[in-house]
């Protein structure tokens, strides 16, 4: 089984991205052939500072390794270093109806958020994502719930290509978690925790004091009981989900454990548990941030391996479409 996923180097990794996606990536490393990449071309669809952008890509690589990805078990590379991603995007553009892209939720949200800089790349974002996946003949793509629509479109594009030019591209399946697939913002449990609004995030590498502050000020609900109820208690339900996924204790057990306790007590325990669980992540990141040469070597090794697969697919695509080879 071949597995692939990507993450943008837009900001530090938050616990939503970790619980919704990266935790699965770490577990899948020993179950299949895994390919993970840093989607730097995707990140360029919103404003970036050219002076610090490449450094952010390296920092994202450090954060992925600090979260448990093992370069001996999976391929890790930067998207822009494998030119075939851009090349396949162009070809897939020619079979993708504009209407399909205009109805993408992420496009609608981001074009509102960045209304002064809506560019063609922002609209074309899902086609580049389709190319990322289809280049590698992937079985399964572990992502958070917000990416499900892009994955559906990827399947549609693959099917359309195969219909038009003959069977060439593998049609992939999304792997989305039921619980954890959508972690909500601490300051607004009706909104997704998202890097594009850093104030909504608890970052995986936040220092203990910051963790404590963010958890203690997290928005909760009216009432007093610690109970999982998405409709009446979205705030507490989100905190219970986070507690359960980090500690491994089922939500039902947590409800029992905190039955006689109030919100403040529950939050204190949650903060203490998170500070302890995230300590090795912080330690590893500090260590790896000093080892730029090593990080670059890992990405270079990943690039070479990725390129072999991507080039083979691209050769077939070029032949099928009728380009000179
Ligand atoms: P963001 O959506 O915050 O910009 P990324 O785009 O870098 O974060 O997402 C990386 C991975 O984490 C994707 O698979 C995405 O679906 C997942 N993810 C992001 N935010 C959340 C969240 N709040 N809950 C669950 N999964 C998430
Ligand atoms: N769009 C994804 C996100 O924002 C990142 C991404 C880019 C991706 N290409 C991908 C995820 C291919 C899975 C497969 O999170």
């Amino acid at each position: 089984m071949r597995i692939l996923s990507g993450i943008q180097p837009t900001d530090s990794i938050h616990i939503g991205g970790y619980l919704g996606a990266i935790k699965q990536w770490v577990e899948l490393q020993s179950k299949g052939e895994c390919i993970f990449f840093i989607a730097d071309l995707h990140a360029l669809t919103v404003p970036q500072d050219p002076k610090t952008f490449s450094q952010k890509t390296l920092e994202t690589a450090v954060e992925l390794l600090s979260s448990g990805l093992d370069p001996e078990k999976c391929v890790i590379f930067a998207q822009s270093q494998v030119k075939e991603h851009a090349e396949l995007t162009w070809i897939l553009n020619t079979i993708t109806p504009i209407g399909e892209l205009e109805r993408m939720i992420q496009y609608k949200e981001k074009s509102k958020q960045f209304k002064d800089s809506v560019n063609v790349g922002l609209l074309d974002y899902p086609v580049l994502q389709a190319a990322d996946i289809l280049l590698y003949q992937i079985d399964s793509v572990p992502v958070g719930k917000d990416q499900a629509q892009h994955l559906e479109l990827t399947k549609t594009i693959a099917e359309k290509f195969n219909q038009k030019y003959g069977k060439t591209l593998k049609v992939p399946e999304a792997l989305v978690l039921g619980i954890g697939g959508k972690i909500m913002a601490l300051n607004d449990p009706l909104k997704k925790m998202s890097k594009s609004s850093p104030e909504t995030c608890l970052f995986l590498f936040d220092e203990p004091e910051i963790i404590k502050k963010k958890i203690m000020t997290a928005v909760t609900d009216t009432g007093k009981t610690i109970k999982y109820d998405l409709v009446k208690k979205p705030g507490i339900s989100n905190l219970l989900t986070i507690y359960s996924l980090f500690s491994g204790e089922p939500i039902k057990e947590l409800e029992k454990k905190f039955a006689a306790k109030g919100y403040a007590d529950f939050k204190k325990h949650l903060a203490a548990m998170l500070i302890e669980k995230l300590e090795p992540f912080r330690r590893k990141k500090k260590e790896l941030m000093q080892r730029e040469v090593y990080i670059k070597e890992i990405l270079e090794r990943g690039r070479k391996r990725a390129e072999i697969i991507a080039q083979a697919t691209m050769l077939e695509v070029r032949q099928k479409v009728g380009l000179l080879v």
Side-chain angles (χ1 to χ4, degrees):
M1 183 151 102
R2 197 179 272 167
I3 293 149
L4 167 140
S5 200
I7 182 166
Q8 300 186 70
T10 36
D11 207 327
S12 191
I13 296 175
H14 55 74
I15 61 167
Y18 177 72
L19 296 175
I22 296 159
K23 190 161 175 264
Q24 280 61 253
W25 304 0
V26 173
E27 284 156 14
L28 287 163
Q29 288 180 113
S30 44
K31 303 202 175 111
E33 184 186 353
C34 285
I35 304 174
F36 299 116
F37 65 92
I38 300 151
D40 50 355
L41 293 175
H42 276 110
L44 280 183
T45 59
V46 298
Q48 301 295 344
D49 179 357
K51 290 198 191 77
T52 53
F53 189 48
S54 63
Q55 211 50 44
K56 274 171 124 179
T57 300
L58 291 177
E59 186 170 345
T60 302
V62 164
E63 293 196 347
L64 288 174
L65 297 168
S66 309
S67 309
L69 289 192
D70 178 349
E72 300 305 321
K73 291 190 186 152
C74 65
V75 172
I76 307 175
F77 68 100
Q79 179 190 38
S80 63
Q81 298 205 309
V82 179
K83 309 277 188 286
E84 284 73 14
H85 290 244
E87 191 181 357
L88 183 58
T89 301
W90 184 257
I91 292 177
L92 299 181
N93 275 339
T94 65
I95 60 162
T96 307
I98 293 179
E100 291 276 355
L101 299 178
E102 283 168 337
R103 67 180 185 79
M104 291 290 119
I105 298 162
Q106 185 177 297
Y107 171 66
K108 288 191 205 161
E109 285 175 358
K110 287 206 178 163
S111 48
K112 252 189 245 155
Q113 191 184 353
F114 298 96
K115 56 177 174 304
D116 298 329
S117 56
V118 181
N119 55 72
V120 177
L122 199 59
L123 180 67
D124 205 29
Y125 183 114
V127 183
L128 175 58
Q129 185 161 351
D132 295 339
I133 300 166
L134 300 176
L135 269 179
Y136 298 94
Q137 313 289 352
I138 293 302
D139 297 289
S140 189
V141 186
V143 281
K145 228 178 243 163
D146 60 323
Q147 296 300 312
Q149 196 185 30
H150 289 167
L151 264 293
E152 278 310 305
L153 182 64
T154 299
K155 286 164 79 168
T156 308
I157 293 175
E159 279 157 4
K160 188 150 177 201
F161 186 97
N162 290 342
Q163 231 165 36
K164 188 161 179 193
Y165 296 111
K167 191 156 177 15
T168 313
L169 303 172
K170 183 155 202 161
V171 181
E173 288 301 330
L175 192 67
V176 181
L177 283 186
I179 286 206
K182 192 171 181 186
I183 298 294
M184 309 311 278
L186 294 180
N187 59 354
D188 180 357
L190 300 177
K191 252 177 44 193
K192 183 184 93 103
M193 186 179 287
S194 170
K195 281 184 199 164
S196 45
S197 319
E199 72 286 356
T200 66
C201 296
L202 178 64
F203 294 104
L204 211 48
F205 304 92
D206 273 343
E207 292 295 334
E209 277 314 305
I210 306 278
I211 298 179
K212 204 188 275 168
K213 189 164 157 225
K214 287 184 179 173
I215 294 292
M216 293 314 290
T217 55
V219 169
T220 45
D221 320 281
T222 50
K224 287 196 189 110
T225 48
I226 313 291
K227 210 162 170 32
Y228 188 86
D229 182 335
L230 281 178
V231 180
K232 292 198 194 118
K233 290 176 165 282
I236 284 293
S237 303
N238 190 42
L239 295 182
L240 275 168
T241 303
I242 294 168
Y243 202 132
S244 168
L245 291 174
F246 270 107
S247 69
E249 293 169 78
I251 288 178
K252 284 267 159 269
E253 294 298 314
L254 292 172
E255 285 176 343
K256 271 189 226 154
K257 183 162 151 186
F258 292 102
K261 302 249 174 18
Y263 288 169
D265 239 1
F266 169 67
K267 284 175 159 183
K268 245 187 243 161
H269 275 85
L270 173 59
M273 186 273 296
L274 284 172
I275 289 170
E276 190 195 322
K277 291 274 176 197
L278 295 177
E279 195 276 330
F281 292 69
R282 289 190 295 274
R283 189 163 19 97
K284 191 88 195 274
K285 181 173 175 187
K286 278 184 196 136
E287 179 208 322
L288 288 177
M289 284 303 279
Q290 311 297 322
R291 300 181 62 193
E292 188 170 315
V293 175
Y294 169 67
I295 300 298
K296 284 186 170 162
E297 268 169 27
I298 291 173
L299 293 179
E300 176 58 13
R301 225 186 321 143
R303 181 190 68 77
K304 284 193 181 133
R305 174 75 189 116
E307 214 168 57
I308 293 171
I309 311 174
Q311 283 176 350
T313 302
M314 230 19 249
L315 178 63
E316 201 184 337
V317 166
R318 295 178 68 102
Q319 285 165 338
K320 291 276 175 64
V321 172
L323 293 171
L324 284 174
V325 290

